[in-house]
Amino acid sequence: MRIGVMIGPEKGDSGRKLERMLRDIEWAESAGMDTAWIPQIPTDFDALITIAAMGLRTSRIELGTAVVPLQAQHPVALARQALSAHAAAGGRLALGVGPSHHWIVRDMLGLPYEKPAAYSRDYLDVLNAALRGTGSVDVENDTFTVHNPLDLGPVAPVPVLIAALGPVMLRIAGERTDGTVLWMADERAIEHHVVPKISKAAADAGRPAPRIVAGLPVCLCAASEVAEAKARANRILGEAEVSPNYQRLLEQGDARDIGDLCIAGDEEAIAAGLRRYAEAGATDLSIRLLPIGDDRDSLVASKRRTREMIAELARELR
């Protein structure tokens, strides 16, 4: 199982924020992490441009987006941007994309949010064709009519993963991509909902077994602080629960909110929690470091303790 960490978003002005993220990616590579996942937040940095900058400061670690909303740009434009970031990173990009949510696409961007699964299928037709190599991208389907020359070729194959929460999206992920990037999925939802559906779709399409990237918050703390960690997860990460997409995914498992998904406790408790995800079928973990504390210094110290412990566990779990 690959162990990765989320990097960003960060508070503060753009210059200091970027420098902190670059220091974090340098730490992640030096600590031996397999992947760093860069969230695409509506109010923050562009994930692919951030990855291009990170690619110039690293040499080994895989750099993934988690995830780029499909509706925000044309698939050819996204392919050009991804191929550029992929080249800057020396062929280490994992392109995570997704149909996003109504409160981002419709309410923030003012774009239609109708039939997101059908839109994703048509979008992938164009995106996959554009990522394959130089030549003309010629795709006609219900959404796109594209005849676009493209001189950019990938420096290495670009793995594409798509956020897939429901049965239709999981089928699309298995048939047309290299896997899925998850959030709000507990072990039960992964084992009994995600893995069977995406794996069958991939097998039926003659594709390799898909990557299943499970995102979850983790906090190293004393047993007496577990409740505090879960409460903080709900406070700072619980906004996404308002999405019907995430609510339906939660119904597939035992968790009812992000606090339930938070793995908190000592080293033994966290190791056991990560192993449960591996046993459920997750191929990758995208760990959101969740610090606790009453002030900035204690939050920084908590984050450092958690990430050092995660790096050690990653070496043991490989």
Side-chain angles (χ1 to χ4, degrees):
M1 183 171 63
R2 297 179 182 91
I3 307 293
V5 290
M6 295 185 194
I7 295 181
E10 297 283 349
K11 293 182 179 180
D13 67 75
S14 297
R16 287 184 294 177
K17 181 190 307 186
L18 179 60
E19 186 56 38
R20 282 200 302 271
M21 293 175 74
L22 292 175
R23 288 198 301 268
D24 282 348
I25 194 61
E26 289 173 339
W27 168 83
E29 178 160 274
S30 66
M33 307 305 292
D34 296 302
T35 306
W37 296 97
I38 316 305
Q40 180 66 74
I41 305 299
T43 58
D44 216 300
F45 279 152
D46 182 272
L48 281 166
I49 293 177
T50 303
I51 281 174
M54 289 177 168
L56 299 176
R57 296 278 282 261
T58 56
S59 61
R60 175 198 58 80
I61 192 170
E62 183 183 47
L63 302 168
T65 56
V67 295
V68 177
L70 296 178
Q71 295 90 339
Q73 57 190 313
H74 191 280
V76 172
L78 177 57
R80 285 200 305 265
Q81 189 179 9
L83 289 168
S84 301
H86 195 47
R92 291 180 283 127
L93 171 67
L95 180 61
V97 300
S100 195
H101 306 278
H102 74 277
W103 52 275
I104 294 177
V105 176
R106 188 188 65 205
D107 299 347
M108 291 185 182
L109 299 178
L111 297 172
Y113 192 71
E114 300 171 359
K115 300 181 178 179
Y119 182 84
S120 298
R121 183 186 294 111
D122 289 350
Y123 196 108
L124 287 169
D125 285 346
V126 183
L127 180 65
N128 287 336
L131 291 175
R132 277 197 284 267
T134 58
S136 183
V137 179
D138 295 298
V139 176
E140 296 186 11
N141 55 36
D142 291 341
T143 306
F144 298 99
T145 300
V146 176
H147 301 285
N148 191 102
L150 194 63
D151 292 333
L152 276 174
V155 296
V158 182
V160 176
L161 302 95
I162 191 164
L165 310 181
V168 176
M169 283 301 302
L170 286 166
R171 183 170 68 249
I172 292 170
E175 292 172 348
R176 295 166 183 260
T177 75
D178 298 290
T180 186
V181 181
L182 302 170
W183 184 248
M184 303 297 291
D186 68 7
E187 308 97 305
R188 184 172 181 270
I190 290 172
E191 182 175 5
H192 297 289
H193 171 63
V194 174
V195 170
K197 291 178 175 63
I198 193 174
S199 298
K200 182 180 186 303
D204 290 348
R207 296 181 64 92
R211 288 176 68 174
I212 298 169
V213 183
L216 65 155
V218 174
C219 177
L220 176 66
C221 62
S224 60
E225 298 172 312
V226 169
E228 177 187 349
K230 290 181 177 293
R232 187 161 197 268
N234 281 327
R235 188 168 65 253
I236 68 173
L237 301 174
E239 199 172 284
E241 294 163 21
V242 302
S243 168
N245 298 336
Y246 286 134
Q247 290 169 0
R248 286 190 288 268
L249 183 58
L250 284 170
E251 291 171 0
Q252 299 292 334
D254 297 317
R256 289 297 169 260
D257 54 36
I258 193 65
D260 289 343
L261 284 157
C262 178
I263 298 179
D266 61 15
E267 292 90 340
E268 185 177 344
I270 291 172
L274 301 188
R275 288 191 180 95
R276 288 196 300 271
Y277 275 85
E279 291 163 1
T283 63
D284 297 68
L285 290 180
S286 173
I287 292 173
R288 205 300 192 172
L289 300 169
L290 181 75
I292 57 173
D294 297 326
D295 52 45
R296 184 182 181 279
D297 288 344
S298 58
L299 288 169
V300 169
S302 174
K303 177 181 176 179
R304 287 176 176 167
R305 288 193 300 271
T306 299
R307 75 179 192 177
E308 294 301 333
M309 180 272 304
I310 290 297
E312 182 61 32
L313 277 180
R315 290 187 283 271
E316 295 175 8
L317 292 173
R318 285 194 186 95

